[in-house]
């Protein structure tokens, strides 16, 4: 682990390079030249954030940067793009963990925009009631966000919605004026954001602005590292018990390189889907959280789009009395399978013995689910899933 002292007024922090090299030395990952370029950029950004923070407080470094706004404007963010599975999210997680900036947030872009639309709606109501002066709701919303956040990290940055496209330019113009620094990962070049979308001309000024405020890096690693982590592992663990729990946890640690997990919330048509444990594009759920709750097919599809790998813990044997839970489980597996997600699961029985009923619609449908569960743990499916996600993100 490497450490450095920026100055006497800045706390000692670890470096992303140091964390990365430690993971290489521990055999958790292989050293990759393309990834090394990115981690060095992250360290340079973290140093810049620290220096300008000191300058903005008129510390001993203040003479280097001049006025506070000039110091904040000097910080350029990062936009890292490339094919799925190349380590983009892992590297951003390393950076986010060690960043000494206290006002930081890591969020899926979709959730950030859903939250922002809600804020704009509330701001409009306050303007109409006279509680807020002015006529533009974007200004108070941007002011509030900038007061809360200086470093904003987005995973899977993309634009697929015309409402988002209309909002982005105005919102981020204000955020950048406030000195908010943006770091994001994406599967597409920023030039191709919202490509062929309706009224794409509305987003072109934002794309130009974004490229002024971030350094664009393509992470062109040699392979899908997630695939290497999962290949050779038993992805369907049965029966349940202490050994199954340990095996599932070991796969999670290995896939996510031992990085700390965090809670998230997914937004879906105004509803919140709690995610108790997420890390580097993976999510961990219990069967109860997914199938004993009133979730529907669109909720499962939302999960499938948000994460490349889904862990499901403690799937029980399902009797006809649990037909609602069985139906939800069928819909869940369908969504993950059709989307090309990787699945790691612990269950009370083999796939063909998970639903015990002599007849009925669920029994017939569960035959397909059992077949898919068997297929999803095969090496062939893992490679097919990789190609599915590549096509999905073109």
């Amino acid at each position: 682990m490497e450490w450095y002292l920026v100055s006497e007024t800045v706390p000692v922090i670890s470096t992303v390079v140091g964390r990365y090299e430690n993971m290489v030395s521990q055999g958790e990952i292989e050293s990759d030249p393309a990834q090394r370029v990115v981690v060095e950029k992250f360290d340079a950004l973290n140093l810049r954030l620290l220096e300008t923070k000191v300058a903005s407080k008129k510390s001993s470094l203040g003479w280097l940067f001049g006025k506070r706004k000039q110091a904040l404007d000097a910080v350029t963010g990062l936009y890292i793009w490339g094919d799925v599975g190349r380590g983009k999210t892992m590297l951003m997680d390393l950076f986010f963990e060690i960043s000494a900036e206290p006002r930081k947030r890591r969020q899926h872009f979709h959730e950030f925009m859903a939250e922002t639309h809600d804020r704009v709606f509330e701001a409009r109501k306050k303007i109409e009631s006279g509680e807020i002066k002015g006529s533009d709701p974007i200004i108070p919303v941007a002011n509030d966000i900038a007061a809360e956040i200086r470093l904003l990290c987005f995973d899977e940055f993309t634009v697929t919605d015309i409402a988002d496209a209309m909002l982005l330019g105005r919102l981020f113009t204000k955020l950048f004026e406030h000195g908010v620094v943006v770091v994001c990962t994406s599967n597409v070049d920023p030039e191709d954001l919202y490509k062929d979308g309706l009224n794409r001309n509305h987003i072109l000024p934002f794309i130009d602005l974004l490229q002024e405020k971030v350094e664009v890096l393509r992470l062109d690693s040699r392979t899908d590292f997630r695939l290497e982590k999962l290949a050779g592992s038993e992805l369907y663990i049965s029966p349940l018990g202490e050994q199954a729990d340990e095996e599932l946890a070991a796969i999670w640690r290995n896939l996510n390189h031992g990085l700390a997990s965090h809670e998230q919330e997914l937004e879906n048509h105004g509803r919140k889907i709690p995610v108790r444990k997420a890390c580097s594009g993976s999510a961990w759920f219990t069967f109860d959280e997914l199938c004993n709750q009133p979730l529907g097919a669109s909720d499962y599809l939302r999960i499938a789009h948000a994460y490349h790998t889904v862990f499901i813990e403690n799937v029980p044997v399902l009797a006809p009395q649990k037909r609602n839970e069985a139906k939800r489980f069928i819909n869940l597996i369908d969504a993950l399978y059709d989307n090309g997600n990787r699945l790691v699961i612990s269950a009370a029985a083999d796939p063909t013995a998970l639903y015990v009923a002599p007849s009925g619609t669920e029994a017939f449908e569960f035959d397909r689910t059992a077949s898919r569960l068997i297929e999803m743990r095969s090496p062939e499916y893992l490679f097919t899933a990789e190609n599915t996600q590549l096509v999905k993100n073109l």
Side-chain angles (χ1 to χ4, degrees):
M1 185 81 68
E2 288 186 9
W3 302 84
Y4 63 79
L5 183 65
V6 179
S7 78
E8 293 182 357
T9 58
V10 177
V12 177
I13 61 169
S14 62
T15 65
V16 185
V17 169
R19 293 287 303 279
Y20 181 82
E21 290 181 344
N22 185 61
M23 293 167 67
V24 171
S25 67
Q26 295 296 320
E28 296 176 8
I29 59 174
E30 292 182 17
S31 182
D32 181 82
Q35 290 185 344
R36 180 62 187 244
V37 170
V38 173
V39 297
E40 290 175 352
K41 293 289 187 180
F42 273 134
D43 275 336
L45 172 57
N46 202 31
L47 178 59
R48 197 77 183 119
L49 286 166
L50 286 163
E51 290 175 337
T52 54
K53 184 176 181 64
V54 173
S56 69
K57 292 182 178 180
K58 299 181 180 179
S59 72
S60 58
L61 290 178
W63 63 274
L64 288 173
F65 303 100
K67 295 180 181 179
R68 180 177 184 274
K69 185 177 184 302
Q70 292 173 329
L72 292 173
D73 287 345
V75 181
T76 300
L78 289 173
Y79 182 107
I80 304 158
W81 71 281
D83 291 338
V84 297
R86 266 52 186 180
K88 302 184 297 294
T89 302
M90 175 197 73
L91 298 180
M92 187 174 73
D93 281 348
L94 284 176
F95 164 72
F96 187 81
E97 270 193 15
I98 72 162
S99 175
E101 170 55 53
R103 293 191 298 120
K104 61 182 179 180
R105 180 186 295 179
R106 184 198 183 286
Q107 196 169 19
H108 273 278
F109 184 67
H110 181 91
E111 271 60 59
F112 174 81
M113 292 307 298
E115 177 187 312
T116 300
H117 283 295
D118 289 343
R119 288 186 182 222
V120 170
F121 177 76
E122 292 299 322
R124 283 199 179 101
K125 290 199 300 184
K126 290 180 179 179
I127 289 173
E128 291 172 0
S129 68
E131 188 176 345
I132 294 178
K133 294 182 179 180
S135 59
D136 186 357
I138 300 297
I139 293 175
V141 169
N143 290 343
D144 289 345
I145 293 173
E148 300 165 6
I149 305 165
R150 186 188 178 205
L151 173 62
L152 190 52
C153 294
F154 291 128
D155 195 20
E156 297 186 13
F157 188 96
T158 187
V159 184
T160 58
D161 185 273
I162 183 60
D164 289 351
M166 298 287 286
L167 179 60
L168 280 169
R170 295 167 60 207
L171 174 66
F172 277 87
T173 294
K174 295 299 180 184
L175 291 180
F176 287 135
E177 286 177 0
H178 282 294
V180 174
V181 179
V182 172
V183 173
C184 52
T185 69
S186 181
N187 296 319
V188 298
D189 187 320
E191 291 284 356
D192 293 330
L193 286 169
Y194 200 51
K195 189 176 182 179
D196 301 323
L198 178 67
N199 294 324
R200 187 173 185 262
N201 58 299
H202 290 298
I203 200 176
L204 295 180
F206 165 72
I207 292 174
D208 291 339
L209 174 67
L210 179 66
Q211 292 182 99
E212 290 177 9
K213 298 296 183 179
V214 300
E215 180 179 358
V216 178
L217 297 173
R218 182 175 184 181
L219 181 54
D220 193 18
S221 297
R222 61 175 178 80
T223 187
D224 185 341
F225 293 96
R226 299 189 313 238
L227 192 58
E228 291 184 349
K229 286 288 184 181
L230 290 176
S233 299
E234 179 53 66
L235 305 183
Y236 189 100
I237 303 166
S238 181
L240 298 177
E242 185 176 341
Q243 182 176 344
D245 295 341
E246 292 174 356
E247 290 181 22
L248 202 68
I251 296 172
W252 175 269
R253 288 193 302 269
N254 188 43
L255 179 64
N256 296 308
H257 315 288
L259 293 173
S261 60
H262 51 273
E263 294 182 358
Q264 288 186 331
E265 274 191 341
L266 298 180
E267 172 88 17
N268 187 45
H269 302 301
R271 298 190 305 277
K272 302 289 187 181
I273 305 172
V275 184
R276 179 169 49 89
K277 192 173 176 180
C279 182
S280 297
S282 304
W284 180 306
F285 300 91
T286 65
F287 175 86
D288 287 346
E289 289 168 342
L290 291 176
C291 300
N292 279 339
Q293 306 301 320
L295 301 181
S298 70
D299 298 309
Y300 299 137
L301 190 61
R302 180 72 190 92
I303 292 170
H305 287 166
Y307 304 102
H308 56 70
T309 304
V310 175
F311 285 62
I312 306 175
E313 179 185 12
N314 292 334
V315 179
V317 172
L318 298 165
Q321 295 83 354
K322 296 286 187 180
R323 62 185 301 274
N324 289 334
E325 291 84 347
K327 182 63 177 178
R328 292 188 189 112
F329 187 69
I330 291 168
N331 290 337
L332 168 63
I333 299 305
D334 283 347
L336 298 177
Y337 180 89
D338 292 340
N339 196 64
N341 295 91
R342 279 75 176 237
L343 175 66
V344 186
I345 191 169
S346 67
D350 288 337
T352 54
L354 273 182
Y355 188 68
V356 288
S359 61
T361 302
E362 283 72 30
F364 174 77
E365 291 181 344
F366 212 94
D367 287 342
R368 182 187 72 239
T369 299
S371 175
R372 289 185 165 184
L373 287 172
I374 293 169
E375 181 183 350
M376 291 174 82
R377 65 187 186 183
S378 69
E380 292 78 13
Y381 174 82
L382 292 178
F383 284 100
T384 301
E386 162 65 6
N387 292 331
T388 299
Q389 292 202 4
L390 279 172
V391 171
K392 181 187 71 174
N393 290 293
L394 287 178

